[in-house]
mmCIF file of all heavy atoms in Angstrom:
data_model
loop_
_atom_site.group_PDB
_atom_site.id
_atom_site.type_symbol
_atom_site.label_atom_id
_atom_site.label_comp_id
_atom_site.label_asym_id
_atom_site.label_seq_id
_atom_site.Cartn_x
_atom_site.Cartn_y
_atom_site.Cartn_z
ATOM 1 N N LEU A 213 106.211 103.700 81.869
ATOM 2 C CA LEU A 213 105.386 104.277 82.926
ATOM 3 C C LEU A 213 104.016 104.662 82.399
ATOM 4 O O LEU A 213 103.002 104.501 83.091
ATOM 5 C CB LEU A 213 106.087 105.510 83.521
ATOM 6 C CG LEU A 213 105.219 106.446 84.373
ATOM 7 C CD1 LEU A 213 104.844 105.764 85.674
ATOM 8 C CD2 LEU A 213 105.947 107.756 84.634
ATOM 9 N N GLY A 214 103.964 105.201 81.162
ATOM 10 C CA GLY A 214 102.698 105.662 80.606
ATOM 11 C C GLY A 214 101.632 104.594 80.566
ATOM 12 O O GLY A 214 100.432 104.887 80.672
ATOM 13 N N ARG A 215 102.041 103.332 80.431
ATOM 14 C CA ARG A 215 101.083 102.219 80.401
ATOM 15 C C ARG A 215 100.649 101.818 81.794
ATOM 16 O O ARG A 215 99.711 101.026 81.949
ATOM 17 C CB ARG A 215 101.696 101.024 79.667
ATOM 18 C CG ARG A 215 102.011 101.307 78.199
ATOM 19 C CD ARG A 215 102.415 100.043 77.456
ATOM 20 N NE ARG A 215 103.670 99.484 77.940
ATOM 21 C CZ ARG A 215 104.868 99.876 77.506
ATOM 22 N NH1 ARG A 215 104.975 100.836 76.596
ATOM 23 N NH2 ARG A 215 105.978 99.316 77.969
ATOM 24 N N GLN A 216 101.319 102.334 82.821
ATOM 25 C CA GLN A 216 100.988 101.973 84.198
ATOM 26 C C GLN A 216 100.124 103.028 84.889
ATOM 27 O O GLN A 216 99.637 102.791 85.991
ATOM 28 C CB GLN A 216 102.279 101.770 84.996
ATOM 29 C CG GLN A 216 103.136 100.630 84.457
ATOM 30 C CD GLN A 216 104.500 100.573 85.126
ATOM 31 O OE1 GLN A 216 105.235 101.552 85.132
ATOM 32 N NE2 GLN A 216 104.844 99.425 85.690
ATOM 33 N N LEU A 217 99.944 104.167 84.254
ATOM 34 C CA LEU A 217 99.159 105.233 84.869
ATOM 35 C C LEU A 217 97.676 104.891 84.837
ATOM 36 O O LEU A 217 97.128 104.546 83.795
ATOM 37 C CB LEU A 217 99.392 106.555 84.148
ATOM 38 C CG LEU A 217 100.812 107.129 84.169
ATOM 39 C CD1 LEU A 217 100.894 108.352 83.264
ATOM 40 C CD2 LEU A 217 101.226 107.487 85.591
ATOM 41 N N ALA A 218 97.026 105.010 85.988
ATOM 42 C CA ALA A 218 95.568 104.831 86.034
ATOM 43 C C ALA A 218 94.860 106.052 85.476
ATOM 44 O O ALA A 218 93.749 105.958 84.945
ATOM 45 C CB ALA A 218 95.122 104.572 87.471
ATOM 46 N N GLY A 219 95.502 107.205 85.611
ATOM 47 C CA GLY A 219 94.907 108.450 85.136
ATOM 48 C C GLY A 219 95.960 109.440 84.719
ATOM 49 O O GLY A 219 97.146 109.302 85.062
ATOM 50 N N VAL A 220 95.528 110.429 83.957
ATOM 51 C CA VAL A 220 96.379 111.542 83.536
ATOM 52 C C VAL A 220 95.590 112.830 83.743
ATOM 53 O O VAL A 220 94.373 112.875 83.488
ATOM 54 C CB VAL A 220 96.808 111.401 82.064
ATOM 55 C CG1 VAL A 220 97.366 112.720 81.515
ATOM 56 C CG2 VAL A 220 97.858 110.302 81.912
ATOM 57 N N MET A 221 96.271 113.865 84.217
ATOM 58 C CA MET A 221 95.660 115.190 84.377
ATOM 59 C C MET A 221 96.372 116.168 83.450
ATOM 60 O O MET A 221 97.581 116.367 83.567
ATOM 61 C CB MET A 221 95.783 115.659 85.828
ATOM 62 C CG MET A 221 95.198 117.051 86.084
ATOM 63 S SD MET A 221 95.285 117.536 87.840
ATOM 64 C CE MET A 221 93.987 116.505 88.534
ATOM 65 N N PRO A 222 95.647 116.783 82.504
ATOM 66 C CA PRO A 222 96.276 117.739 81.589
ATOM 67 C C PRO A 222 96.490 119.102 82.233
ATOM 68 O O PRO A 222 95.843 119.467 83.224
ATOM 69 C CB PRO A 222 95.285 117.828 80.425
ATOM 70 C CG PRO A 222 93.970 117.470 81.029
ATOM 71 C CD PRO A 222 94.250 116.501 82.138
ATOM 72 N N ALA A 223 97.388 119.850 81.634
ATOM 73 C CA ALA A 223 97.748 121.177 82.125
ATOM 74 C C ALA A 223 96.790 122.238 81.600
ATOM 75 O O ALA A 223 96.301 122.148 80.470
ATOM 76 C CB ALA A 223 99.169 121.527 81.688
ATOM 77 N N HIS A 224 96.550 123.265 82.402
ATOM 78 C CA HIS A 224 95.867 124.471 81.936
ATOM 79 C C HIS A 224 96.912 125.400 81.310
ATOM 80 O O HIS A 224 97.174 126.516 81.781
ATOM 81 C CB HIS A 224 95.170 125.188 83.087
ATOM 82 C CG HIS A 224 93.925 124.510 83.579
ATOM 83 N ND1 HIS A 224 93.052 123.848 82.757
ATOM 84 C CD2 HIS A 224 93.400 124.419 84.829
ATOM 85 C CE1 HIS A 224 92.039 123.376 83.465
ATOM 86 N NE2 HIS A 224 92.233 123.696 84.730
ATOM 87 N N VAL A 225 97.560 124.912 80.251
ATOM 88 C CA VAL A 225 98.596 125.662 79.538
ATOM 89 C C VAL A 225 98.248 125.635 78.058
ATOM 90 O O VAL A 225 97.825 124.598 77.532
ATOM 91 C CB VAL A 225 99.998 125.060 79.761
ATOM 92 C CG1 VAL A 225 101.054 125.803 78.948
ATOM 93 C CG2 VAL A 225 100.362 125.072 81.248
ATOM 94 N N ILE A 226 98.435 126.766 77.369
ATOM 95 C CA ILE A 226 98.213 126.841 75.924
ATOM 96 C C ILE A 226 99.552 126.650 75.215
ATOM 97 O O ILE A 226 100.571 127.227 75.616
ATOM 98 C CB ILE A 226 97.593 128.194 75.527
ATOM 99 C CG1 ILE A 226 96.246 128.386 76.242
ATOM 100 C CG2 ILE A 226 97.398 128.286 74.010
ATOM 101 C CD1 ILE A 226 95.632 129.776 76.022
ATOM 102 N N TYR A 227 99.548 125.844 74.141
ATOM 103 C CA TYR A 227 100.749 125.552 73.364
ATOM 104 C C TYR A 227 100.483 125.971 71.906
ATOM 105 O O TYR A 227 100.221 125.114 71.048
ATOM 106 C CB TYR A 227 101.082 124.065 73.446
ATOM 107 C CG TYR A 227 101.188 123.540 74.863
ATOM 108 C CD1 TYR A 227 100.050 123.116 75.551
ATOM 109 C CD2 TYR A 227 102.416 123.487 75.521
ATOM 110 C CE1 TYR A 227 100.131 122.643 76.850
ATOM 111 C CE2 TYR A 227 102.503 123.013 76.828
ATOM 112 C CZ TYR A 227 101.360 122.598 77.494
ATOM 113 O OH TYR A 227 101.437 122.134 78.783
ATOM 114 N N PRO A 228 100.529 127.263 71.612
ATOM 115 C CA PRO A 228 100.072 127.743 70.301
ATOM 116 C C PRO A 228 100.897 127.256 69.121
ATOM 117 O O PRO A 228 100.392 127.180 67.995
ATOM 118 C CB PRO A 228 100.159 129.270 70.445
ATOM 119 C CG PRO A 228 101.178 129.496 71.518
ATOM 120 C CD PRO A 228 101.002 128.369 72.472
ATOM 121 N N ASN A 229 102.165 126.921 69.341
ATOM 122 C CA ASN A 229 103.021 126.469 68.242
ATOM 123 C C ASN A 229 103.124 124.945 68.147
ATOM 124 O O ASN A 229 103.840 124.427 67.286
ATOM 125 C CB ASN A 229 104.416 127.074 68.392
ATOM 126 C CG ASN A 229 104.389 128.583 68.295
ATOM 127 O OD1 ASN A 229 103.710 129.139 67.433
ATOM 128 N ND2 ASN A 229 105.086 129.258 69.191
ATOM 129 N N ALA A 230 102.404 124.251 69.016
ATOM 130 C CA ALA A 230 102.392 122.785 68.988
ATOM 131 C C ALA A 230 101.017 122.234 68.646
ATOM 132 O O ALA A 230 100.906 121.172 68.041
ATOM 133 C CB ALA A 230 102.846 122.235 70.340
ATOM 134 N N ASP A 231 99.980 122.947 69.040
ATOM 135 C CA ASP A 231 98.595 122.534 68.785
ATOM 136 C C ASP A 231 98.153 123.143 67.458
ATOM 137 O O ASP A 231 98.088 124.360 67.326
ATOM 138 C CB ASP A 231 97.706 123.027 69.932
ATOM 139 C CG ASP A 231 96.269 122.563 69.826
ATOM 140 O OD1 ASP A 231 95.830 122.180 68.720
ATOM 141 O OD2 ASP A 231 95.563 122.597 70.854
ATOM 142 N N PRO A 232 97.827 122.319 66.438
ATOM 143 C CA PRO A 232 97.463 122.854 65.122
ATOM 144 C C PRO A 232 96.048 123.401 65.031
ATOM 145 O O PRO A 232 95.635 123.855 63.967
ATOM 146 C CB PRO A 232 97.633 121.638 64.205
ATOM 147 C CG PRO A 232 97.326 120.469 65.086
ATOM 148 C CD PRO A 232 97.856 120.840 66.447
ATOM 149 N N SER A 233 95.302 123.386 66.126
ATOM 150 C CA SER A 233 93.933 123.897 66.105
ATOM 151 C C SER A 233 93.926 125.373 65.716
ATOM 152 O O SER A 233 94.869 126.109 66.044
ATOM 153 C CB SER A 233 93.284 123.731 67.476
ATOM 154 O OG SER A 233 93.402 122.395 67.938
ATOM 155 N N PRO A 234 92.873 125.847 65.040
ATOM 156 C CA PRO A 234 92.820 127.256 64.624
ATOM 157 C C PRO A 234 92.918 128.227 65.797
ATOM 158 O O PRO A 234 93.520 129.292 65.670
ATOM 159 C CB PRO A 234 91.455 127.364 63.933
ATOM 160 C CG PRO A 234 91.114 125.973 63.524
ATOM 161 C CD PRO A 234 91.710 125.072 64.554
ATOM 162 N N ASP A 235 92.326 127.872 66.929
ATOM 163 C CA ASP A 235 92.354 128.737 68.110
ATOM 164 C C ASP A 235 92.716 127.869 69.314
ATOM 165 O O ASP A 235 91.834 127.430 70.060
ATOM 166 C CB ASP A 235 90.994 129.403 68.311
ATOM 167 C CG ASP A 235 91.000 130.419 69.443
ATOM 168 O OD1 ASP A 235 92.095 130.850 69.853
ATOM 169 O OD2 ASP A 235 89.900 130.767 69.921
ATOM 170 N N PRO A 236 94.006 127.604 69.529
ATOM 171 C CA PRO A 236 94.406 126.655 70.568
ATOM 172 C C PRO A 236 93.927 127.054 71.965
ATOM 173 O O PRO A 236 93.985 128.222 72.360
ATOM 174 C CB PRO A 236 95.936 126.675 70.499
ATOM 175 C CG PRO A 236 96.248 127.115 69.107
ATOM 176 C CD PRO A 236 95.168 128.106 68.770
ATOM 177 N N LEU A 237 93.449 126.066 72.687
ATOM 178 C CA LEU A 237 93.016 126.227 74.071
ATOM 179 C C LEU A 237 93.992 125.492 74.984
ATOM 180 O O LEU A 237 94.832 124.715 74.514
ATOM 181 C CB LEU A 237 91.606 125.654 74.241
ATOM 182 C CG LEU A 237 90.457 126.409 73.576
ATOM 183 C CD1 LEU A 237 89.177 125.570 73.620
ATOM 184 C CD2 LEU A 237 90.241 127.759 74.254
ATOM 185 N N PRO A 238 93.901 125.714 76.304
ATOM 186 C CA PRO A 238 94.724 124.910 77.216
ATOM 187 C C PRO A 238 94.526 123.423 76.966
ATOM 188 O O PRO A 238 93.464 122.982 76.501
ATOM 189 C CB PRO A 238 94.210 125.329 78.593
ATOM 190 C CG PRO A 238 93.722 126.734 78.401
ATOM 191 C CD PRO A 238 93.116 126.746 77.024
ATOM 192 N N ALA A 239 95.540 122.630 77.291
ATOM 193 C CA ALA A 239 95.535 121.209 76.931
ATOM 194 C C ALA A 239 94.296 120.481 77.426
ATOM 195 O O ALA A 239 93.798 119.572 76.752
ATOM 196 C CB ALA A 239 96.799 120.547 77.478
ATOM 197 N N GLY A 240 93.789 120.863 78.594
ATOM 198 C CA GLY A 240 92.624 120.183 79.142
ATOM 199 C C GLY A 240 91.337 120.428 78.383
ATOM 200 O O GLY A 240 90.327 119.764 78.646
ATOM 201 N N PHE A 241 91.358 121.352 77.425
ATOM 202 C CA PHE A 241 90.188 121.636 76.594
ATOM 203 C C PHE A 241 90.483 121.348 75.120
ATOM 204 O O PHE A 241 89.712 121.736 74.253
ATOM 205 C CB PHE A 241 89.778 123.106 76.733
ATOM 206 C CG PHE A 241 89.518 123.527 78.151
ATOM 207 C CD1 PHE A 241 90.437 124.308 78.838
ATOM 208 C CD2 PHE A 241 88.363 123.141 78.805
ATOM 209 C CE1 PHE A 241 90.204 124.696 80.156
ATOM 210 C CE2 PHE A 241 88.121 123.524 80.113
ATOM 211 C CZ PHE A 241 89.038 124.301 80.793
ATOM 212 N N SER A 242 91.583 120.665 74.848
ATOM 213 C CA SER A 242 92.075 120.495 73.487
ATOM 214 C C SER A 242 91.905 119.059 72.984
ATOM 215 O O SER A 242 92.598 118.149 73.464
ATOM 216 C CB SER A 242 93.560 120.878 73.413
ATOM 217 O OG SER A 242 94.127 120.461 72.191
ATOM 218 N N PRO A 243 91.023 118.819 71.999
ATOM 219 C CA PRO A 243 90.930 117.478 71.412
ATOM 220 C C PRO A 243 92.261 117.011 70.823
ATOM 221 O O PRO A 243 92.550 115.814 70.822
ATOM 222 C CB PRO A 243 89.860 117.638 70.331
ATOM 223 C CG PRO A 243 89.050 118.815 70.748
ATOM 224 C CD PRO A 243 90.019 119.736 71.430
ATOM 225 N N PHE A 244 93.068 117.947 70.331
ATOM 226 C CA PHE A 244 94.367 117.559 69.785
ATOM 227 C C PHE A 244 95.209 116.884 70.852
ATOM 228 O O PHE A 244 95.752 115.784 70.650
ATOM 229 C CB PHE A 244 95.096 118.777 69.224
ATOM 230 C CG PHE A 244 96.542 118.496 68.881
ATOM 231 C CD1 PHE A 244 96.874 117.740 67.765
ATOM 232 C CD2 PHE A 244 97.569 118.976 69.684
ATOM 233 C CE1 PHE A 244 98.212 117.465 67.456
ATOM 234 C CE2 PHE A 244 98.891 118.715 69.391
ATOM 235 C CZ PHE A 244 99.217 117.954 68.269
#
Side-chain angles (χ1 to χ4, degrees):
L213 164 70
R215 297 189 295 274
Q216 298 172 305
L217 297 173
V220 165
M221 179 177 286
H224 286 324
V225 177
I226 300 174
Y227 306 86
N229 297 317
D231 184 340
S233 308
D235 186 17
L237 290 169
F241 304 105
S242 168
F244 169 73

